[in-house]
Every structure is written in structure tokens, then in C-alpha cells.
Amino acid sequence: MTVLRAFSITDIGKRRKLNQDYVFVSIAPIGNLPNVFIVADGMGGHNAGDYASKYTVEMIEEQIRESERTVAADILKDAIEKANSYIRSMARGDSALTGMGTTVVAASVKGTILQVANVGDSRLYIVNQNEIRQITRDHSLVAEMVRMGGIDQRTARFHPDKNIITRAVGALDTVEADFFQETLVQGDIILLCSDGLTNMLEDEEIQKIIIRQNSLSEKGKALIQAANDNGGKDNIAVILINPFADQV
């Protein structure tokens, strides 16, 4: 049986007065999932964004814990939909929370199988010595433009509308998450992060930092430092997972 290890960190960055990113890590089983990892990047005025991210993650965790389903994608789908309903009802009941929402990227690992769900533009990557691969697909205006062939990836990073997302938990009465399944191999490191990291660093820079540092905590802290050194324009959230921590 392989040993899984994880490290999480968030940082307010250099420009924001409030940290609206929220992370959750459990390497122990929750409900019928063997482990759970979540990054949420909230949006909304005043404290609405941090409320949205925090309570969305807490609701997802609660729903996973109570779910009687056994298929990971079904468990995550139900949990995200129920969190969306909860956030919508909270916003309707408090005018200060109107318009709040959050991205979500959630993952669970069983053996060599990685299950992922995402809404918005927080991402999950698989990183190793040879490559960095973005597994999730951004739900954002510029990502749609890239997929349609209107602009290239580099232009997208600096596009003035890059922060406009097309899906979020809490934005509409219904939410549609995307789901992905990947097979992991020895040497893979899993990265979940908010756009506070990816807007500040190119994918290749992220890969170099991850493979250069030794421990997961060193990798995570170095990513935060690099994002801040490049401007730190947003909150930054990072979860790093080594699914084969006992194998060298």
C-alpha cells in the first residue's frame, strides 16, 4: 500500500486586503472517499468572497461525509450541487452576500487513480520531471477564446478580461462541474491552485520550482514566494500531493 502525503498553503499576496482563497486537505477517509483535497477562490464584495469559499468547502466536506454513493464522481457532483444551492440561499437571505460565488477544484486519489472535479478557473496539474499537464479546463472567458482559436495561451495570460469566469458555485441556481480521471505514475506530483498562482507564473516556471525543491512544504513555500516576487496581485492557494511518498 502506497503512502500519500500532502501540503497546503495560502497567502494573501501583495495587493489584496482580504484572503478569499480557502483550502481543505484530508489524507484520511471522508465518507466513501479515501482522501479529499479542495481549493476554492471566492469572489464578491467586502467579506462575501471569503464567506463563499469557506462555506462552499465546508458544505462539500459535509456532503461527502454523509453521501451513501460509492463512485467518486457522483459523490463530488452531488456535494458541489448542494453547496451551490446553499450559497444561493445564503445570498438571497442577506443583501451583503448578493453576487457572491467561488471557484472549486476538488480531488481524491485511490491508489493510482486520480478523480477531479472543477468549476471556474482554479486548476489541477500533474507535474513530474518531464512535463507539467493541466488536467482541469478553465471556465473563463479567455479560456473559451483560446479553445475557439481566437487568441493563444500567452495572449490569454495578459488579456484584460482574464479574470471573467463563466461558471462559479453560487452564480446560478444550477451548477455544472467538469470531471476528469487520470492514472498516476511514480514521480507524479499533484498541484491544486488558485489563479493567484497561475496568473503570476508560467506553467514551466511552476514545474521548475516543483522539481527543484525537495519536500512538499519547500515546494509550496517556493511557489508562494515566486508568485509574490512576480507581483502577488491576488490571493494564492496551493495544495501539493505526493501519491507515492514512500517510493523513491
Side-chain angles (χ1 to χ4, degrees):
M1 184 176 179
T2 58
V3 175
L4 178 149
R5 290 200 174 92
F7 173 80
S8 65
I9 186 170
T10 67
D11 190 86
I12 197 169
K14 290 188 168 183
R15 304 282 186 87
R16 299 297 175 92
K17 295 181 179 178
L18 194 67
N19 191 348
Q20 296 188 329
D21 287 0
Y22 199 81
V23 298
F24 176 84
V25 169
S26 176
I27 60 173
I30 296 183
N32 289 325
L33 293 183
N35 42 63
V36 178
F37 310 95
I38 309 170
V39 166
D41 179 0
M43 68 199 92
H46 304 292
N47 67 337
D50 65 316
Y51 184 101
S53 58
K54 180 177 187 290
Y55 284 98
T56 291
V57 171
E58 290 180 354
M59 179 59 65
I60 290 172
E61 180 204 354
E62 180 182 319
Q63 294 302 319
I64 291 171
R65 195 178 300 279
E66 295 177 357
S67 178
E68 296 181 0
R69 290 181 176 263
T70 55
V71 176
D74 294 339
I75 296 169
L76 292 172
K77 180 177 186 290
D78 285 354
I80 290 169
E81 288 176 352
K82 287 174 181 174
N84 185 75
S85 297
Y86 176 76
I87 293 299
R88 293 289 287 175
S89 67
M90 291 299 99
R92 282 193 292 268
D94 185 344
S95 60
L97 302 177
T98 300
M100 72 173 174
T102 184
T103 69
V104 166
V105 56
S108 186
V109 180
K110 185 174 183 178
T112 60
I113 302 301
L114 168 68
Q115 302 278 358
V116 187
N118 86 290
V119 178
D121 62 357
S122 293
R123 296 178 178 176
L124 184 143
Y125 292 88
I126 294 175
V127 186
N128 55 44
Q129 291 282 345
N130 301 316
E131 64 176 353
I132 176 168
R133 284 191 297 132
Q134 182 181 338
I135 304 305
T136 52
R137 285 174 42 145
D138 295 352
H139 302 137
S140 69
L141 186 61
V142 296
E144 296 292 343
M145 292 165 70
V146 170
R147 285 195 280 270
M148 296 291 288
I151 58 174
D152 59 24
Q153 287 282 8
R154 178 159 183 79
T155 304
R157 284 196 74 238
F158 301 101
H159 196 283
D161 294 330
K162 68 182 178 183
N163 292 324
I164 299 176
I165 63 173
T166 54
R167 288 189 217 173
V169 173
L172 299 171
D173 286 338
T174 59
V175 65
E176 183 181 354
D178 285 348
F179 296 89
F180 307 87
Q181 179 176 302
E182 293 287 324
T183 300
L184 302 165
V185 298
Q186 188 174 336
D188 284 345
I189 298 292
I190 303 161
L191 166 67
L192 292 79
C193 61
S194 63
D195 68 348
L197 182 74
T198 53
N199 282 341
M200 295 294 100
L201 298 174
E202 299 275 6
D203 285 4
E204 293 73 19
E205 295 175 281
I206 293 171
Q207 181 201 15
K208 286 177 183 176
I209 291 168
I210 288 175
I211 65 175
R212 189 187 309 136
Q213 303 296 329
N214 291 318
S215 69
L216 291 181
S217 63
E218 289 170 339
K219 296 177 196 295
K221 290 171 184 176
L223 288 171
I224 297 289
Q225 185 65 52
N228 278 326
D229 288 347
N230 278 9
K233 294 180 181 178
D234 200 352
N235 309 144
I236 311 155
V238 168
I239 297 175
L240 289 160
I241 307 160
N242 184 348
F244 309 104
D246 58 334
Q247 300 177 23
V248 294

